[in-house]
Amino acid sequence: MRQKLTLALGILLALLAACTDDENTTEKDITLSGGTQTNQVIYADQTTPSGGGISFTAAADWTARVVDLTPTKADTSSPDWLTLSAYSGGPGQHTLTLTLTENRTGQDRSARIEISCGADVITITVEQKSTTQGGDNPATQSTLLSRIEATYVSSGNPEDYDRIILTFQRDSEGRVTEMHDIAYVGDEQGYYSDGTYRFTYEPGRILLNMFEDYSTPEDYVFLLNEAGDVYLIYQQRTSSSTLAWLMEYDADRRLQRILENYRYEPDSSGDDDDESNVEMPGFDSRSASGFDREIARFVWEDGNLMRSVNTTSLSGDEDYTTWTYSDQPNLTPGFDFNMFGSYSLFGYTEMDYSVVTNMLFGLKMLGQSSKNLVDINPVDWAYHQEETNPSSPEPTTETTHDDRWQTFVYTLDANGFLQRATAHCVLRTIVTDIATGNVIWETETYEDEEYLFFY
């Protein structure tokens, strides 16, 4: 009997405690329902989540907002690639439908959905991959450049503008198979020239046939590393040796330096088997033992290429090119606008080295590109010199030429890809009498640049 009373008392106390807990429990103003996941991953070609929308129950009026978490965004504004079927409502059960645009940016992107009701907030993170479930990248399949038009106009002679037109042909994988380069002056297309660059893709390497007006066709071999970046360049020749350049990268695929070999001897398979060790007459008595001449080094900061450095200068390291950057992301797939204007990006050496390396960098074949677009054209035409006249052995005048570039103005599409870029440069020339310091004459002209991009 005593045991039964003890058991009954325990049950009664448990029921009283449960009732007390229920009375103290505060119901949430909003709760998720319907198996909605708080972290949703969506593939590049999906426009709605495979698991459906966001289901919840609200006790009162509610509001929703979407915050863009993509790293390249400069703010936390609402994304244009993800929308909700409703952004507010009243109490009750609701299901929000998510609508996304296909991700053709070539980059993963993410957003946070916040739904607020009373004192409570539910949060759902949505990540849209840059690839499809099968691993394909839509950015490399359809949204790729087919044409670039660059126009340069000087106020001194605006009718004699310079125009360069680049057109691209691609294979089924989006790789450039042929690039055509046309350049001319004015409406009459004076000084017309064109060049054709044909790419052939083989396992582990790319072959380039390069033909430009008034020159002998050249054939180059590009060897690829495991990441698919060009790490070795050499010219195909009938002789056993040739010039070659070796590219070194860091763990993030950022180009660190370029080494040169004056007597590179590839084997029949195109591997980088170099056993040459001879003195090369006519090359300042430099030894041709392997890749022993560093001709360029690169300085990166916060994901952007800040300087390319000439390490062979007798006076010490000198900059080839320096860059400063805008807050605009460099997202255009398969093309890096930052190489425009960088005439000495990798320095100079024999043959078509500068043409080939600048082209490969522009086509994003030399590792990772800078994460942002440049803000100012890096070209510098400034100079200062003194002049003499026949009646005096000493300099009588000095000429100062100064150029002031304004920042690039970019127009981007919804994916962040380039549509248009413009630049304006003011050029001042001042001639001064050295003896008196008086300005003899002064002129000011300008140059405008426009780049148009077609996909």
Side-chain angles (χ1 to χ4, degrees):
M1 184 68 174
R2 186 168 189 164
Q3 290 179 344
K4 291 181 178 180
L5 289 173
T6 302
L7 178 60
L9 180 61
I11 294 172
L12 178 61
L13 291 174
L15 290 173
L16 289 173
C19 292
T20 303
D21 288 343
D22 289 342
E23 291 174 357
N24 293 334
T25 299
T26 302
E27 292 186 359
K28 291 184 175 296
D29 293 322
I30 185 170
T31 55
L32 281 175
S33 57
T36 300
Q37 300 295 317
T38 56
N39 291 286
Q40 301 190 17
V41 177
I42 301 171
Y43 291 104
D45 56 345
Q46 289 181 290
T47 57
T48 57
S50 57
I54 302 173
S55 298
F56 61 92
T57 301
D61 290 346
W62 57 271
T63 59
R65 73 168 187 150
V66 185
V67 179
D68 202 331
L69 302 179
T70 306
T72 53
K73 291 285 289 185
D75 55 28
T76 56
S77 61
S78 179
D80 54 10
W81 53 271
L82 170 59
T83 58
L84 304 178
S85 57
Y87 291 85
S88 62
Q93 295 183 346
H94 301 272
T95 297
L96 298 184
T97 302
L98 281 62
T99 302
L100 298 89
T101 61
E102 188 172 350
N103 188 0
R104 296 180 178 275
T105 67
Q107 307 287 330
D108 293 348
R109 57 189 181 187
S110 58
R112 182 176 66 248
I113 301 172
E114 299 174 352
I115 307 175
S116 303
C117 181
D120 296 321
V121 179
I122 56 176
T123 301
I124 296 92
T125 301
V126 178
E127 179 185 7
Q128 189 176 35
K129 295 293 187 180
S130 61
T131 57
T132 65
Q133 189 171 8
D136 295 327
N137 191 328
T140 62
Q141 291 181 336
S142 58
T143 312
L144 287 173
L145 280 173
S146 61
R147 181 184 179 96
I148 302 173
E149 295 183 5
T151 305
Y152 310 91
V153 180
S154 172
S155 62
N157 198 354
E159 293 186 359
D160 285 341
Y161 60 88
D162 295 318
R163 177 162 293 165
I164 298 174
I165 300 175
L166 298 176
T167 56
F168 305 94
Q169 295 181 19
R170 303 178 185 275
D171 61 15
S172 59
E173 297 182 35
R175 301 176 300 188
V176 175
T177 55
E178 182 172 307
M179 183 176 74
H180 199 197
D181 177 3
I182 300 172
Y184 59 84
V185 177
D187 292 341
E188 301 300 322
Q189 298 191 3
Y191 302 100
Y192 187 96
S193 66
D194 65 72
T196 301
Y197 310 84
R198 293 187 176 94
F199 297 84
T200 302
Y201 297 87
E202 298 180 351
R205 68 177 190 169
I206 303 173
L207 307 180
L208 170 66
N209 174 260
M210 183 169 66
F211 176 78
E212 298 176 296
D213 277 351
Y214 318 114
S215 64
T216 304
E218 304 283 0
D219 293 313
Y220 283 88
V221 178
F222 309 138
L223 300 188
L224 307 177
N225 59 23
E226 293 182 354
D229 300 318
V230 173
Y231 79 89
L232 185 68
I233 301 173
Y234 66 90
Q235 186 181 20
Q236 279 192 325
R237 287 182 170 182
T238 55
S239 60
S240 60
S241 63
T242 180
L243 280 169
W245 300 277
L246 182 70
M247 281 66 182
E248 294 185 350
Y249 302 88
D250 65 9
D252 296 320
R253 296 179 50 235
R254 303 196 191 281
L255 187 61
Q256 298 297 297
R257 62 176 187 160
I258 298 179
L259 302 173
E260 187 174 62
N261 186 342
Y262 270 96
R263 197 172 180 84
Y264 177 74
E265 296 184 0
D267 62 21
S268 59
S269 66
D271 293 333
D272 56 333
D273 182 16
D274 176 32
E275 299 178 353
S276 59
N277 187 11
V278 295
E279 292 294 327
M280 294 292 292
F283 293 112
D284 300 330
S285 299
R286 285 189 289 265
S287 171
S289 176
F291 293 89
D292 57 355
R293 181 173 182 250
E294 182 184 80
I295 59 175
R297 187 167 3 103
F298 306 91
V299 180
W300 296 79
E301 183 178 317
D302 296 329
N304 287 318
L305 178 58
M306 308 304 294
R307 300 166 57 206
S308 62
V309 180
N310 172 11
T311 56
T312 62
S313 171
L314 297 178
S315 59
D317 290 356
E318 295 180 356
D319 289 348
Y320 284 132
T321 308
T322 60
W323 293 266
T324 56
Y325 290 87
S326 68
D327 60 358
Q328 299 284 4
N330 184 18
L331 296 179
T332 304
F335 179 77
D336 189 352
F337 175 76
N338 294 341
M339 54 77 63
F340 266 108
S342 303
Y343 304 122
S344 56
L345 176 62
F346 301 110
Y348 302 99
T349 183
E350 286 77 1
M351 299 187 302
D352 295 304
Y353 163 85
S354 297
V355 173
V356 171
T357 50
N358 274 275
M359 176 178 60
L360 291 178
F361 193 80
L363 295 176
K364 293 190 175 182
M365 293 182 179
L366 292 182
Q368 191 68 265
S369 299
S370 294
K371 70 177 185 179
N372 293 101
L373 292 169
V374 294
D375 61 351
I376 295 179
N377 194 319
V379 173
D380 185 4
W381 294 312
Y383 67 85
H384 177 85
Q385 67 182 26
E386 296 180 339
E387 294 90 8
T388 60
N389 60 48
S391 62
S392 173
E394 298 296 327
T396 57
T397 61
E398 60 180 1
T399 299
T400 300
H401 179 88
D402 190 18
D403 60 303
R404 304 292 175 88
W405 284 99
Q406 297 179 6
T407 56
F408 276 111
V409 177
Y410 294 109
T411 301
L412 309 178
D413 64 15
N415 293 319
F417 300 166
L418 280 166
Q419 289 185 312
R420 184 172 182 260
T422 58
H424 180 78
C425 183
V426 177
L427 305 152
R428 296 179 64 231
T429 302
I430 305 171
V431 178
T432 306
D433 184 284
I434 294 178
T436 64
N438 295 329
V439 175
I440 299 174
W441 59 272
E442 179 179 350
T443 63
E444 184 172 290
T445 60
Y446 67 83
E447 175 164 319
D448 284 332
E449 299 185 358
E450 180 186 54
Y451 304 87
L452 300 176
F453 304 86
F454 305 89
Y455 298 88

